[in-house]
Every structure is written in structure tokens, then in C-alpha cells.
Coordinates of all heavy atoms in Angstrom, one line a residue:
M1 N 5.2 -12.0 -12.0 CA 5.4 -12.0 -10.6 C 6.9 -11.9 -10.2 O 7.7 -12.6 -10.8 CB 4.8 -13.2 -9.9 CG 3.3 -13.3 -10.1 SD 2.5 -12.1 -9.1 CE 2.5 -12.9 -7.5
R2 N 7.2 -11.2 -9.2 CA 8.6 -11.1 -8.7 C 8.7 -11.9 -7.4 O 7.9 -11.6 -6.5 CB 9.0 -9.7 -8.4 CG 9.7 -9.0 -9.5 CD 9.8 -7.5 -9.1 NE 9.8 -6.7 -10.3 CZ 10.9 -6.5 -11.0 NH1 12.1 -6.9 -10.6 NH2 10.8 -5.8 -12.1
D3 N 9.7 -12.7 -7.2 CA 9.9 -13.4 -5.9 C 10.6 -12.4 -5.0 O 11.4 -11.5 -5.4 CB 10.8 -14.6 -6.1 CG 10.0 -15.7 -6.8 OD1 8.8 -15.8 -6.7 OD2 10.7 -16.5 -7.4
V4 N 10.3 -12.5 -3.7 CA 11.0 -11.7 -2.8 C 12.5 -12.2 -2.6 O 12.7 -13.4 -2.5 CB 10.3 -11.8 -1.4 CG1 11.1 -11.0 -0.3 CG2 8.9 -11.3 -1.5
E5 N 13.4 -11.3 -2.6 CA 14.8 -11.7 -2.5 C 15.2 -12.1 -1.1 O 14.6 -11.6 -0.2 CB 15.7 -10.5 -3.0 CG 15.5 -10.3 -4.5 CD 16.4 -9.1 -5.0 OE1 17.3 -8.8 -4.3 OE2 16.0 -8.6 -6.1
P6 N 16.1 -13.0 -1.0 CA 16.5 -13.6 0.3 C 16.9 -12.6 1.4 O 16.5 -12.8 2.5 CB 17.6 -14.6 0.0 CG 17.6 -14.8 -1.4 CD 16.9 -13.6 -2.1
N7 N 17.5 -11.5 1.0 CA 18.0 -10.6 2.0 C 17.0 -9.5 2.3 O 17.3 -8.5 3.0 CB 19.3 -9.9 1.5 CG 20.4 -10.9 1.5 OD1 20.4 -11.9 2.3 ND2 21.4 -10.7 0.7
Q8 N 15.8 -9.6 1.9 CA 14.8 -8.5 2.1 C 13.9 -8.7 3.3 O 12.8 -8.2 3.3 CB 14.0 -8.3 0.9 CG 14.8 -7.5 -0.2 CD 13.9 -7.0 -1.3 OE1 13.0 -7.7 -1.6 NE2 14.3 -5.9 -1.8
D9 N 14.3 -9.5 4.3 CA 13.4 -9.8 5.4 C 13.6 -8.7 6.5 O 13.4 -9.0 7.7 CB 13.6 -11.2 5.9 CG 15.0 -11.4 6.4 OD1 15.9 -10.7 6.0 OD2 15.2 -12.4 7.2
R10 N 14.0 -7.5 6.1 CA 14.1 -6.5 7.1 C 13.3 -5.2 6.5 O 12.6 -5.4 5.6 CB 15.5 -6.1 7.5 CG 16.4 -5.9 6.3 CD 17.8 -5.7 6.8 NE 18.8 -6.1 5.8 CZ 20.0 -5.5 5.7 NH1 20.3 -4.5 6.4 NH2 20.8 -6.0 4.9
E11 N 13.6 -4.1 7.1 CA 12.7 -3.0 6.8 C 13.0 -2.5 5.3 O 14.1 -2.5 4.8 CB 13.0 -1.8 7.8 CG 12.5 -2.2 9.1 CD 12.4 -1.0 10.0 OE1 13.2 0.0 9.8 OE2 11.6 -0.9 10.9
T12 N 11.9 -2.2 4.7 CA 11.9 -1.7 3.3 C 11.2 -0.3 3.3 O 10.4 0.0 4.1 CB 11.0 -2.7 2.5 OG1 11.6 -4.0 2.6 CG2 11.0 -2.3 1.0
A13 N 11.7 0.5 2.4 CA 11.1 1.8 2.3 C 9.9 1.8 1.4 O 9.9 1.3 0.4 CB 12.2 2.8 1.7
Y14 N 8.9 2.5 2.0 CA 7.6 2.7 1.2 C 7.4 4.1 1.1 O 7.6 4.9 2.0 CB 6.4 2.0 1.9 CG 6.6 0.5 2.0 CD1 7.2 -0.1 3.1 CD2 6.0 -0.3 1.0 CE1 7.4 -1.5 3.1 CE2 6.2 -1.7 1.1 CZ 6.9 -2.3 2.1 OH 7.0 -3.6 2.2
E15 N 6.9 4.5 -0.1 CA 6.7 6.0 -0.3 C 5.2 6.2 -0.6 O 4.5 5.5 -1.3 CB 7.5 6.4 -1.6 CG 7.3 7.8 -1.9 CD 8.2 8.2 -3.1 OE1 8.8 7.3 -3.8 OE2 8.4 9.4 -3.3
C16 N 4.7 7.3 0.0 CA 3.3 7.7 -0.2 C 3.1 8.3 -1.5 O 3.9 9.2 -2.0 CB 2.9 8.7 0.9 SG 1.3 9.3 0.7
F17 N 2.1 7.9 -2.2 CA 1.7 8.4 -3.5 C 1.3 9.9 -3.4 O 1.4 10.7 -4.3 CB 0.6 7.7 -4.2 CG 1.0 6.4 -4.9 CD1 0.6 5.2 -4.5 CD2 1.8 6.5 -6.0 CE1 0.9 4.0 -5.2 CE2 2.2 5.4 -6.7 CZ 1.7 4.2 -6.3
E18 N 0.6 10.2 -2.3 CA -0.1 11.5 -2.1 C 0.9 12.6 -1.7 O 0.9 13.6 -2.3 CB -1.2 11.4 -1.1 CG -2.2 10.3 -1.4 CD -3.0 10.6 -2.7 OE1 -3.1 11.8 -3.0 OE2 -3.3 9.7 -3.4
C19 N 1.7 12.3 -0.6 CA 2.5 13.4 -0.1 C 4.0 13.1 -0.2 O 4.8 13.9 0.2 CB 2.1 13.7 1.4 SG 2.6 12.4 2.5
G20 N 4.4 11.9 -0.6 CA 5.8 11.6 -0.8 C 6.5 11.2 0.5 O 7.7 11.1 0.6
N21 N 5.7 11.0 1.6 CA 6.3 10.6 2.9 C 6.9 9.2 2.7 O 6.4 8.3 2.1 CB 5.1 10.5 3.9 CG 5.6 10.2 5.3 OD1 6.7 10.6 5.7 ND2 4.8 9.4 6.0
I22 N 8.1 9.0 3.3 CA 8.8 7.7 3.3 C 8.6 7.1 4.6 O 8.9 7.6 5.7 CB 10.3 7.9 3.0 CG1 10.6 8.8 1.7 CG2 11.0 6.6 2.9 CD1 10.1 8.1 0.5
V23 N 8.2 5.8 4.6 CA 8.0 5.0 5.8 C 8.9 3.8 5.7 O 8.8 3.1 4.6 CB 6.5 4.6 6.0 CG1 6.3 3.7 7.2 CG2 5.7 5.9 6.1
L24 N 9.6 3.5 6.7 CA 10.4 2.2 6.8 C 9.6 1.2 7.6 O 9.2 1.4 8.7 CB 11.7 2.4 7.4 CG 12.7 3.2 6.6 CD1 14.0 3.5 7.4 CD2 13.1 2.5 5.3
A25 N 9.3 0.1 7.0 CA 8.5 -1.0 7.6 C 8.9 -2.3 7.1 O 9.3 -2.5 6.0 CB 7.0 -0.7 7.4
A26 N 8.7 -3.3 8.0 CA 9.0 -4.7 7.5 C 7.9 -5.2 6.7 O 8.1 -6.0 5.7 CB 9.2 -5.6 8.8
D27 N 6.7 -4.8 7.0 CA 5.5 -5.2 6.2 C 4.9 -3.9 5.5 O 5.0 -2.8 6.0 CB 4.4 -5.8 7.1 CG 4.9 -7.1 7.7 OD1 5.4 -7.9 7.0 OD2 4.7 -7.2 8.9
S28 N 4.3 -4.1 4.4 CA 3.7 -3.0 3.6 C 2.6 -2.3 4.4 O 1.7 -3.0 4.8 CB 3.1 -3.6 2.3 OG 2.5 -2.5 1.6
P29 N 2.8 -1.0 4.7 CA 1.8 -0.3 5.4 C 0.6 -0.1 4.4 O 0.7 0.1 3.3 CB 2.4 1.1 5.7 CG 3.6 1.2 4.8 CD 4.0 -0.2 4.3
D30 N -0.6 -0.2 5.0 CA -1.8 0.0 4.2 C -1.9 1.4 3.7 O -2.3 1.7 2.6 CB -3.1 -0.3 5.1 CG -3.2 -1.8 5.2 OD1 -2.7 -2.6 4.5 OD2 -4.0 -2.2 6.1
K31 N -1.6 2.4 4.6 CA -1.9 3.8 4.3 C -0.7 4.6 4.9 O -0.1 4.2 5.9 CB -3.1 4.3 5.0 CG -4.4 3.6 4.6 CD -5.5 4.3 5.3 CE -6.7 3.3 5.6 NZ -7.7 4.0 6.5
C32 N -0.6 5.8 4.3 CA 0.4 6.7 4.8 C -0.1 7.2 6.2 O -1.2 7.6 6.4 CB 0.4 7.9 3.9 SG 1.4 9.3 4.5
P33 N 0.9 7.1 7.2 CA 0.5 7.6 8.6 C 0.3 9.1 8.6 O -0.4 9.6 9.5 CB 1.7 7.2 9.4 CG 2.9 7.0 8.5 CD 2.2 6.6 7.2
D34 N 0.8 9.8 7.7 CA 0.6 11.3 7.6 C -0.8 11.7 7.0 O -1.5 12.5 7.6 CB 1.7 12.0 6.8 CG 2.9 12.3 7.6 OD1 2.9 11.9 8.8 OD2 3.8 13.0 7.1
C35 N -1.1 11.2 5.8 CA -2.2 11.6 5.1 C -3.2 10.6 4.7 O -4.3 10.9 4.2 CB -1.8 12.4 3.8 SG -1.2 11.2 2.5
G36 N -2.9 9.3 5.0 CA -3.8 8.2 4.7 C -3.8 7.8 3.3 O -4.6 7.0 2.8
G37 N -2.8 8.3 2.5 CA -2.8 8.0 1.1 C -2.2 6.6 0.8 O -1.7 5.9 1.8
A38 N -2.2 6.1 -0.4 CA -1.7 4.8 -0.7 C -0.2 4.8 -0.7 O 0.5 5.8 -1.1 CB -2.2 4.4 -2.1
M39 N 0.4 3.7 -0.2 CA 1.9 3.5 -0.2 C 2.4 2.6 -1.3 O 1.7 1.7 -1.7 CB 2.3 2.9 1.2 CG 1.7 3.7 2.4 SD 2.4 5.3 2.6 CE 4.1 5.0 3.0
R40 N 3.6 2.9 -1.8 CA 4.2 1.9 -2.7 C 5.6 1.6 -2.2 O 6.2 2.4 -1.6 CB 4.2 2.5 -4.1 CG 5.2 3.6 -4.4 CD 5.2 3.9 -5.8 NE 6.0 5.1 -6.1 CZ 7.3 5.1 -6.3 NH1 7.9 4.0 -6.3 NH2 7.9 6.2 -6.5
N41 N 6.0 0.3 -2.6 CA 7.3 -0.1 -2.3 C 8.3 0.5 -3.2 O 8.3 0.3 -4.4 CB 7.3 -1.7 -2.4 CG 8.6 -2.3 -1.9 OD1 9.6 -1.7 -1.8 ND2 8.5 -3.5 -1.5
R42 N 9.3 1.2 -2.6 CA 10.3 1.9 -3.4 C 11.3 0.9 -4.1 O 12.0 1.3 -5.0 CB 11.0 2.9 -2.6 CG 10.1 4.0 -2.0 CD 10.9 5.0 -1.4 NE 11.5 5.9 -2.3 CZ 12.8 6.4 -2.2 NH1 13.6 6.0 -1.3 NH2 13.3 7.2 -3.1
H43 N 11.3 -0.3 -3.6 CA 12.3 -1.3 -4.1 C 11.8 -2.0 -5.4 O 12.5 -2.7 -6.0 CB 12.6 -2.4 -3.1 CG 13.5 -1.8 -2.0 ND1 14.2 -2.6 -1.1 CD2 13.8 -0.5 -1.6 CE1 14.9 -1.8 -0.3 NE2 14.7 -0.6 -0.6
I44 N 10.5 -1.7 -5.7 CA 10.0 -2.3 -6.9 C 10.0 -1.3 -8.0 O 9.4 -0.2 -7.9 CB 8.5 -2.8 -6.7 CG1 8.5 -3.9 -5.7 CG2 7.9 -3.3 -8.1 CD1 7.1 -4.4 -5.3
P45 N 10.9 -1.5 -9.0 CA 11.0 -0.4 -10.1 C 9.7 -0.3 -10.9 O 9.1 -1.3 -11.2 CB 12.2 -0.9 -10.9 CG 12.4 -2.3 -10.6 CD 11.7 -2.6 -9.2
L46 N 9.3 0.9 -11.2 CA 8.2 1.1 -12.1 C 8.7 1.1 -13.5 O 9.3 2.1 -13.9 CB 7.5 2.4 -11.7 CG 6.9 2.5 -10.3 CD1 6.4 3.8 -10.0 CD2 5.9 1.4 -10.0
E47 N 8.4 0.1 -14.2 CA 9.0 0.0 -15.6 C 7.9 0.3 -16.6 O 6.7 -0.1 -16.3 CB 9.6 -1.3 -15.8 CG 10.8 -1.5 -14.9 CD 11.5 -2.8 -15.2 OE1 11.7 -3.1 -16.4 OE2 11.8 -3.6 -14.3
Ligands
ZN1 ZN1 1.1 10.7 2.6

């Protein structure tokens, strides 16, 4: 588990898995507003 960093209480970029749309939001969006696809937080590295 990763703790949320102290300075991250503002907008974070989320990227759509399906179409690559970038959404800035304070809270994780459930779905892409464009295509309804799953969103992922771009600040979490995929290792
Ligand atoms: Zn999308």
C-alpha cells in the first residue's frame, strides 16, 4: 500500500485506459467522460 503524499490534496491527472483521455480531478473519476472507460491515476507508477 502507498500512503497519499501530503501535497496531493489537489487535482491529480487520471488517464483513460481506453482512449487516453486525460482528466484532472481531485477525486478519482469512476469512468472516462468521453468513452466511459476505466481511469487510472497517472501519479502511480506501474512497476
Ligand atoms: Zn476514454
